[in-house]
Amino acid sequence: MIRKTLIAGNWKMNGLLEDGIALAKGVAQEVKKAGRKDCEFLICPPFTLLSSAKKAIKGTKLMLGAQDCHYAEKGAHTGDISAKMLQDIGCQYVIVGHSERRTNHYESNELIKQKAEAAINTGLKVIICIGETEAEKDAGKTIAVCSAQIEGSVPEISNGQNTVIAYEPVWAIGTGRTPTTAEVEEVHAAIRKVVAKKLGRANANKMRILYGGSMKPSNAKELLALPDVDGGLIGGASLKVADFMAIGEASKQ
Ligand code: PGA
């Protein structure tokens, strides 16, 4: 297998110290028990929990990531966090360009690309999120929108090792709705083609493309079995140890 499955939890703005630490510990213990060699697990808690989550998962293979970063290394950017700071406290990954940031914080492809570039240059791996809105889907523009987002937000220094793409249809996030498996495979295969054109076939073959948007234990198996789906970016279902691990279990082929 050239691509190792990645099961990533995006906790979003959830978790106070006590329950956040308990969740990180719970996932870490289960990851240790599972002892998987074919699958990596990652949690992306909010900034406030990163340090304590790092301690909670110590000694296990569970990895730590953040949900955003600034493109500058340091300086006058009130309220922002740099990739260097994330790396300093033990993060291996950072998510950039989530649709909630594209929408709520008006993030452009250009800005997302700058963030991804900064993170990669710092030594972090990035998960770059893309995906169409419901109106775009209805207009038959899914693949065009995703292609433009890849063109605009994936930096030239991305490769199969340092970059993961997460396809998250905006209308599927937190709604309980998902595209059909045929639709998901079609989009993922198209994404890989665009990546091949941009970064070369070898990088495209190595790059993991995650599906995200209402992934849960009951639909994970069929989604994760698709040839171009290399894992999941999981929101709601990553907040319960049992659900998150059940999705991991569903990735076993
Ligand atoms: P969801 O969120 O699993 O709650 O739909 C996924 C995401 O936004 O990353």
Side-chain angles (χ1 to χ4, degrees):
M1 194 174 47
I2 65 165
R3 298 185 296 268
K4 204 179 245 193
T5 304
L6 176 62
I7 301 295
N10 174 12
W11 292 10
K12 308 193 179 184
M13 197 171 71
N14 293 293
L16 299 180
L17 271 185
E18 196 177 331
D19 50 326
I21 293 170
L23 179 56
K25 261 195 191 139
V27 174
Q29 277 163 6
E30 291 304 316
V31 166
K32 198 169 185 178
K33 254 194 241 162
R36 298 273 298 274
K37 293 210 161 65
D38 58 329
C39 178
E40 296 178 335
F41 291 87
L42 166 72
I43 51 169
C44 301
F47 292 133
T48 49
L49 277 169
L50 290 174
S51 270
S52 26
K54 183 72 194 170
K55 287 190 200 110
I57 67 177
K58 204 174 169 214
T60 73
K61 286 202 174 127
L62 177 59
M63 299 184 294
L64 187 69
Q67 300 169 17
D68 182 45
C69 68
H70 195 275
Y71 60 80
E73 194 178 314
K74 59 180 178 177
H77 302 285
T78 304
D80 280 309
I81 302 283
S82 73
K84 191 93 197 150
M85 290 168 169
L86 297 177
Q87 188 193 44
D88 191 38
I89 59 163
C91 286
Q92 293 115 302
Y93 276 85
V94 62
I95 299 170
V96 295
H98 190 280
S99 73
E100 285 149 17
R101 296 211 57 93
R102 288 180 187 263
T103 307
N104 303 343
H105 297 269
Y106 311 102
E107 292 194 3
S108 65
N109 283 327
E110 188 50 40
L111 177 66
I112 293 158
K113 186 181 185 173
Q114 284 179 290
K115 290 181 176 200
E117 210 157 42
I120 292 169
N121 281 331
T122 302
L124 294 176
K125 294 184 180 189
V126 289
I127 300 178
I128 303 175
C129 302
I130 60 168
E132 84 286 0
T133 63
E134 184 151 36
E136 288 163 344
K137 177 183 168 60
D138 291 346
K141 291 187 183 152
T142 298
I143 288 174
V145 167
C146 291
S147 304
Q149 287 174 332
I150 293 168
E151 277 307 326
S153 51
V154 175
E156 281 65 35
I157 57 166
S158 274
N159 62 39
Q161 291 295 332
N162 63 25
T163 300
V164 173
I165 290 179
Y167 168 56
E168 302 202 301
V170 179
W171 53 272
I173 294 175
T175 59
R177 297 163 61 206
T178 54
T180 65
T181 50
E183 285 169 334
V184 172
E185 177 55 24
E186 188 193 354
V187 179
H188 278 235
I191 290 169
R192 205 175 298 286
K193 252 195 200 151
V194 178
V195 172
K197 215 171 110 201
K198 189 179 167 101
L199 304 171
R201 181 42 68 190
N203 282 318
N205 284 343
K206 264 196 223 139
M207 192 172 290
R208 283 159 318 168
I209 306 174
L210 313 183
Y211 171 78
S214 296
M215 189 182 267
K216 50 191 176 217
S218 59
N219 63 18
K221 201 170 179 70
E222 57 179 23
L223 289 164
L224 294 169
L226 298 169
D228 284 294
V229 174
D230 308 308
L233 182 57
I234 301 132
S238 72
L239 299 174
K240 285 198 183 125
V241 178
D243 286 355
F244 188 62
M245 294 312 296
I247 293 173
E249 196 60 25
S251 74
K252 279 188 181 163
Q253 296 299 320

